[in-house]
């Protein structure tokens, strides 16, 4: 059973376009983290959202935590080829374990 | 991923051999976590350790797998009598005490011949 469902699984867009990917759960999380993973590397932490309704910005990336703390979205404005990667959402459960979604694979075409 | 060091980056073993994966946490981090990533699947929690203590090993197979984080030196994930199904990327993460974000190493890619 997957605690966190990410959609779409794969997204390909042209440079300069905007995109939004989603992370959903039926469970409430105390926080959610977004990571980006490149091939052959480990996940790199982008942001942690903690408060329901919270919005955090990281340059052209906007992260939102749902009011009920069950879901989150990542919006990228004017996507660049350097934004290509696997975006993972993760939430803590139990003894500080992290549950991960399967990821949103984003490809930005120059 | 500067800070969390994993080695080796790639490890090839034949069926029945032992695999030892090492992880040095970031400076100041006393909590270590191991995750496994299979193709087309997300990262799955295996074990959570503090120095000289296993806190949670609920995600680790009961047989052949063990983990330690000694007082001195890196954390070790040990897989005995490896089988083809053990082929995966194994990631280590570390965090400071408390419910803090985890930072990941670049993983060890284990291939079983």
């Amino acid at each position: 059973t997957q605690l966190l469902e990410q959609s779409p699984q794969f997204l390909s867009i042209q440079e300069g376009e905007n995109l939004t990917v989603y992370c959903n759960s039926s469970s409430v999380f105390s926080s959610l983290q977004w990571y980006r993973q490149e091939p052959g590397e480990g996940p790199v932490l982008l942001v942690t959202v903690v408060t329901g309704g919270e919005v955090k910005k990281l340059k052209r990336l906007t992260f939102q935590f749902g009011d009920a703390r069950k879901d989150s979205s990542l919006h990228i404005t004017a996507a660049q080829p350097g934004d290509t990667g696997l975006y993972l959402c993760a939430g803590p459960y139990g003894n500080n374990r992290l549950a991960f979604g399967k990821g949103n694979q984003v490809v930005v075409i120059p | 991923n500067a800070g969390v060091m994993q080695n080796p980056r790639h490890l090839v073993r034949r069926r029945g051999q032992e695999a030892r994966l090492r992880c040095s946490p970031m400076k100041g981090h006393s909590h270590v976590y191991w995750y496994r990533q299979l193709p087309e699947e997300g990262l799955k929690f295996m074990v959570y350790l503090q120095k000289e203590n296993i806190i949670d090993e609920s995600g680790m197979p009961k047989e052949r797998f063990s983990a330690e984080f000694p007082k001195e030196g890196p954390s070790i994930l040990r897989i005995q009598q490896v089988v083809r199904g053990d082929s995966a990327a194994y990631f280590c993460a570390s965090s400071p005490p408390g419910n803090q974000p985890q930072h990941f190493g670049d993983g060890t890619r284990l291939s079983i011949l």
Side-chain angles (χ1 to χ4, degrees), chain A residues 26-96:
Chain A
S26 57
S27 303
V28 175
F29 285 92
S30 58
S31 66
L32 279 180
Q33 283 125 45
W34 282 91
Y35 293 81
R36 185 168 78 193
Q37 185 178 22
E38 311 251 0
E41 298 181 7
V44 175
L45 180 64
L46 297 175
V47 77
T48 300
V49 286
V50 178
T51 308
E54 181 177 6
V55 176
K56 278 193 174 177
K57 293 197 173 189
L58 189 66
K59 296 183 183 177
R60 292 173 295 95
L61 276 59
T62 302
F63 304 85
Q64 183 160 12
F65 200 10
D67 291 339
R69 290 186 288 129
K70 291 183 177 181
D71 54 83
S72 182
S73 63
L74 159 59
H75 180 80
I76 303 179
T77 304
Q80 303 294 311
D83 297 326
T84 292
L86 180 66
Y87 291 85
L88 297 165
C89 70
Y93 73 105
N95 221 339
N96 215 25

Side-chain angles (χ1 to χ4, degrees), chain A residues 35 40 42 95-98, chain B residues 9 33 48 56 58 99 102 106:
Chain A
Y35 293 81
N95 221 339
N96 215 25
R97 293 169 281 181
L98 279 180
Chain B
R9 291 293 310 275
Y33 314 81
Y48 165 28
D56 183 348
S58 60
N99 191 15
Q102 297 174 23
D106 279 337

Side-chain angles (χ1 to χ4, degrees), chain B residues 62-107:
Chain B
K62 294 286 185 282
E63 297 179 354
R64 303 188 298 108
F65 285 71
S66 62
E68 63 175 5
F69 189 15
K71 188 176 179 181
E72 301 290 337
S75 175
I76 306 286
L77 179 67
R78 182 181 177 208
I79 311 172
Q80 295 178 290
Q81 299 171 352
V82 295
V83 300
R84 287 245 171 92
D86 297 332
S87 295
Y90 292 83
F91 289 95
C92 168
S94 71
S95 74
N99 191 15
Q100 299 294 323
Q102 297 174 23
H103 295 264
F104 283 78
D106 279 337

